Amino acid sequence: MKIMPCPLNGPRNISEFVYGGEVTSLPDVETAPDKEWAEHTFYAYNGTGVAKEWWYHVASGYWFIAERHRVTDQILRTYDPSEDRTLFPAAATTDAAAATQPSAEAVKEEITE
Amino acid sequence: MPFGLLKYGLSNNYPFEKDADLPPPTALKKRYDVVIIGGGGHGVATAYYLAKYHGITNVAILEKGYLGGGNTARNTAVIRSNYLTSDGVKFYAESVKLFRDLSNEFDFNIMYSKRGQLTLAHTDAAIRGFRQRTEVNKHFGGKTELIDPQQIRELVPTLNMNPGHQPVLGGLWHIDGATARHDAVAWGYAKGATQRGVELHQLTEVTDVIVENGKVKGVKAKQGSAEHTIECGIAVQAVAGHSSLLAEKAGFRLPIVTYPLQAMVTQPVKPFLDPLVSSPAFHCYVQQTGRGELVFGGGSDPYPLYNSRSTLELKEQLLAHAVELFPFVANLKLMRQWTGLTDMTSDYSPIMGLSPVENYYLDAGWGTWGFKSTPICGKTMAELVATGKVPELIKPFGADRFSEFRQVNEMGATAASH
Ligand SMILES: Cc1cc2nc3c(=O)[nH]c(=O)nc-3n(C[C@H](O)[C@H](O)[C@H](O)COP(=O)(O)OP(=O)(O)OC[C@H]3O[C@@H](n4cnc5c(N)ncnc54)[C@H](O)[C@@H]3O)c2cc1C
């Protein structure tokens, strides 16, 4: 059984969660040309490193962010979206916020691809 | 030949038979007219048709593992053409036609077996979708009928008609549906290609693509610890689950996300199931091989990963559904299970044709559905390489369709059946 460390519910079976795609920022709705929308819609990260992803806990209706390695499947870090500066620049106040996450230790582990 | 066997058992050299199907390996040359990256069914089929129809034989197939050891060896060998779009049906129907004659053409038995494929509808909406697919299929070259529960009972007497309290209301009966021995398809093409002078280099990994002024010039390849630089006029990439990674080496991105896909077989039992049976609502399909094993397959894993590990969760989910359809199989034991990496596009259609790099052609995005297209894909890719023009049949599948918002949506016709 694979475990997802949920920022809200703690460690849970990964089958309780739904993968929601890569975390990206939306192109400018007023000005972005078609090409940029196509890029945003169809070209996701598909490399062999760590990806930043949306995940959803179905039972509690909770969306959060996970950083997961695309080869080892190791989940390095999970956190509430409000802590993400790129998504919510104003809301993120301290760098320390992420350091308290359950899987923080995993970040130190070396990853080989 | 017990003495011959003993002699080889004591020798360090692997014996090479005089009339073996494949010639012994040779040293890599400095230059080829065409380099094909990936020795799966698609790569060797492209080489075969290049040699056979276009007389182009200064060709090297570079395969990092062994011939057909990628998804060609891992798929569940469903062959069908009952897709949804006219572009899709035309393309796949042509492939089904080519499959029928392959054994004769190769003088090598690919065990092609026309069984028919039955897709089950458990809702009225599914019946409406099937009605559309029936008409499109008939119109563009396939044989498909919409059938009722009584006809289904006659075709598959062992099927539970009320699985999981979702009664079977009808079925899409695809008379052309078939299966074949997937390895043999790769071997047959490889034999035909190498007999005509194409070189197949196994254990040869392409580590870089050399591009100058927007044009492909060659590739770098690794054989064990030896590095080689190979020049070429044209390169074709046909590496299935590694498409994005190789494209990155050539300097561009693809609209692909890579997911694992798992499958499994049971111990063999007496033949009881002739058609290939699939249920999109139950996310699974079941078929019986010529040896009597039951093959179970379903959709890709729920999240992207470059890893061919297997999971118990997926097996449990998939088999729970299979047992609803055929309750008595619950007593069977699983014999093997495995995973392949599938390069998924968002419209469930492949990416074939030109790339942003000149003379570098794409055969990618085959996700969970590319075994059935091996012959037609090889044939059309060979035509592209030989003429430099994208054949009509594959025009709709260019990578540029995404930036132009003209996808070829086959999701509904692909999801659980491949
Ligand atoms: C479990 C499973 C079930 C499936 N079921 C079906 C089905 O029922 N029907 C159907 O039509 N399709 C099915 N598919 C999909 C089908 O298997 C593939 O789409 C098809 O085999 C792709 O053929 P290919 O020759 O392109 O790929 P492959 O056979 O994977 O060949 C690609 C080759 O490229 C090599 N390669 C990769 N990178 C490099 C490199 N850098 N240098 C050199 N070589 C490299 C790999 O080693 C590999 O051998 C299934 C797939 C899976 C995993």
Side-chain angles (χ1 to χ4, degrees):
Chain A
M1 191 197 298
K2 180 150 183 81
I3 301 293
M4 168 63 86
C6 175
L8 184 66
N9 303 287
R12 309 286 307 171
N13 187 340
I14 199 156
S15 59
E16 293 180 13
F17 298 83
V18 174
Y19 168 70
E22 192 193 355
V23 177
T24 51
S25 40
L26 207 64
D28 189 320
V29 186
E30 302 291 332
T31 60
D34 284 359
K35 203 169 174 316
E36 197 178 329
W37 280 108
E39 177 79 14
H40 172 77
T41 314
F42 302 117
Y43 289 74
Y45 172 75
N46 195 29
T48 51
V50 174
K52 202 161 120 182
E53 304 170 336
W54 285 110
W55 282 80
Y56 177 68
H57 184 246
V58 178
S60 61
Y62 173 66
W63 282 102
F64 60 97
I65 295 172
E67 290 175 11
R68 189 174 62 88
H69 197 276
R70 288 283 179 90
V71 177
T72 62
D73 204 14
Q74 209 177 355
I75 298 160
L76 304 174
R77 212 158 80 95
T78 56
Y79 47 93
D80 189 88
S82 65
E83 287 165 28
D84 192 287
R85 276 164 191 267
T86 56
L87 293 171
F88 300 102
T93 47
T94 62
D95 278 336
T100 58
Q101 292 310 305
S103 63
E105 271 168 357
V107 184
K108 294 183 200 117
E109 282 186 42
E110 200 169 272
I111 294 168
T112 49
E113 287 180 4
Chain B
M1 288 277 181
F3 290 115
L5 197 61
L6 187 66
K7 194 176 115 204
Y8 288 124
L10 296 173
S11 146
N12 286 329
N13 294 328
Y14 188 78
F16 213 92
E17 301 160 48
K18 261 216 301 309
D19 44 326
D21 288 322
L22 292 177
T26 52
L28 277 166
K29 291 195 290 196
K30 283 218 153 29
R31 190 185 188 301
Y32 296 91
D33 293 338
V34 182
V35 160
I36 295 174
I37 311 167
H42 285 215
V44 287
T46 304
Y48 172 87
Y49 290 112
L50 266 178
K52 179 169 172 172
Y53 291 140
H54 306 282
I56 298 175
T57 55
N58 184 16
V59 178
I61 305 165
L62 309 180
E63 163 56 49
K64 77 170 174 184
Y66 59 92
L67 167 65
N71 285 355
T72 297
R74 293 159 207 259
N75 68 75
T76 49
V78 175
I79 299 170
R80 63 186 182 94
S81 70
N82 54 349
Y83 283 80
L84 180 66
T85 66
S86 51
D87 293 333
V89 171
K90 272 189 248 170
F91 176 78
Y92 291 108
E94 200 54 39
S95 211
V96 173
K97 259 186 233 152
L98 289 175
F99 259 113
R100 287 179 198 144
D101 293 331
L102 279 189
S103 293
N104 265 338
E105 190 173 334
F106 293 159
D107 190 19
F108 190 89
N109 192 356
I110 64 156
M111 296 170 147
Y112 174 81
S113 159
K114 185 173 147 187
R115 310 270 204 90
Q117 190 227 13
L118 175 65
T119 313
L120 305 173
H122 307 263
T123 61
D124 287 338
I127 298 267
R128 279 197 296 278
F130 285 3
R131 204 162 269 143
Q132 182 183 357
R133 279 169 67 186
T134 306
E135 294 311 316
V136 176
N137 203 236
K138 280 196 285 203
H139 198 74
F140 291 104
K143 283 204 198 78
T144 300
E145 287 167 12
L146 189 66
I147 61 174
D148 64 23
Q150 184 50 36
Q151 288 168 295
I152 294 177
R153 259 184 226 109
E154 283 160 19
L155 272 172
V156 192
T158 47
L159 179 71
N160 174 14
M161 294 298 286
N162 191 10
H165 310 290
Q166 296 189 59
V168 175
L169 303 180
L172 187 67
W173 175 228
H174 182 42
I175 297 153
D176 295 330
T179 178
R181 183 164 182 208
H182 42 24
D183 303 315
V185 172
W187 298 338
Y189 276 120
K191 180 181 157 198
T194 51
Q195 272 171 356
R196 290 171 172 82
V198 169
E199 292 178 15
L200 168 67
H201 295 276
Q202 305 183 66
L203 298 173
T204 307
E205 179 174 3
V206 171
T207 52
D208 208 358
V209 179
I210 306 163
V211 179
E212 276 170 27
N213 302 323
K215 204 167 171 171
V216 69
K217 287 286 167 220
V219 298
K220 289 199 172 137
K222 215 170 72 184
Q223 286 181 322
S225 55
E227 310 253 3
H228 303 270
T229 302
I230 303 159
E231 289 171 36
C232 67
I234 290 174
V236 178
Q237 81 157 67
V239 294
H242 299 84
S243 299
S244 296
L245 305 180
L246 192 61
E248 199 186 319
K249 303 235 153 86
F252 59 90
R253 295 171 68 209
L254 286 172
I256 281 174
V257 181
T258 302
Y259 289 79
L261 175 63
Q262 309 186 32
M264 65 214 93
V265 296
T266 67
Q267 64 192 115
V269 290
K270 276 188 186 169
F272 71 92
L273 185 61
D274 196 35
L276 319 173
V277 178
S278 131
S279 166
F282 281 64
H283 305 287
C284 87
Y285 59 92
V286 185
Q287 69 211 42
Q288 190 169 26
T289 69
R291 283 185 297 218
E293 302 151 349
L294 289 192
V295 180
F296 298 111
S300 294
D301 269 22
Y303 58 88
L305 191 67
Y306 281 105
N307 194 323
S308 54
R309 56 94 179 95
S310 290
T311 64
L312 182 62
E313 283 94 340
L314 189 123
K315 305 251 137 61
E316 280 180 340
Q317 269 172 23
L318 203 143
L319 292 174
H321 283 142
V323 169
E324 291 280 1
L325 297 172
F326 296 98
F328 57 94
V329 307
N331 296 325
L332 294 181
K333 290 195 166 44
L334 282 186
M335 207 162 59
R336 294 189 304 278
Q337 48 97 33
W338 64 92
T339 306
L341 297 179
T342 51
D343 48 341
M344 303 293 284
T345 54
S346 54
D347 60 0
Y348 286 67
S349 281
I351 295 174
M352 303 173 72
L354 308 178
S355 81
V357 174
E358 208 180 321
N359 290 349
Y360 188 85
Y361 299 131
L362 288 172
D363 170 14
W366 284 108
T368 66
W369 54 86
F371 170 68
K372 69 180 69 60
S373 61
T374 306
I376 192 60
C377 176
K379 199 172 166 197
T380 48
M381 287 302 293
E383 190 183 331
L384 170 61
V385 169
T387 64
K389 285 202 204 84
V390 182
E392 268 319 304
L393 208 53
I394 63 170
K395 263 194 190 145
F397 303 116
D400 51 2
R401 72 176 183 272
F402 293 94
S403 47
E404 290 164 9
F405 299 95
R406 36 170 194 86
Q407 290 90 289
V408 185
N409 185 3
E410 291 292 3
M411 183 173 184
T414 306
S417 322
H418 301 338

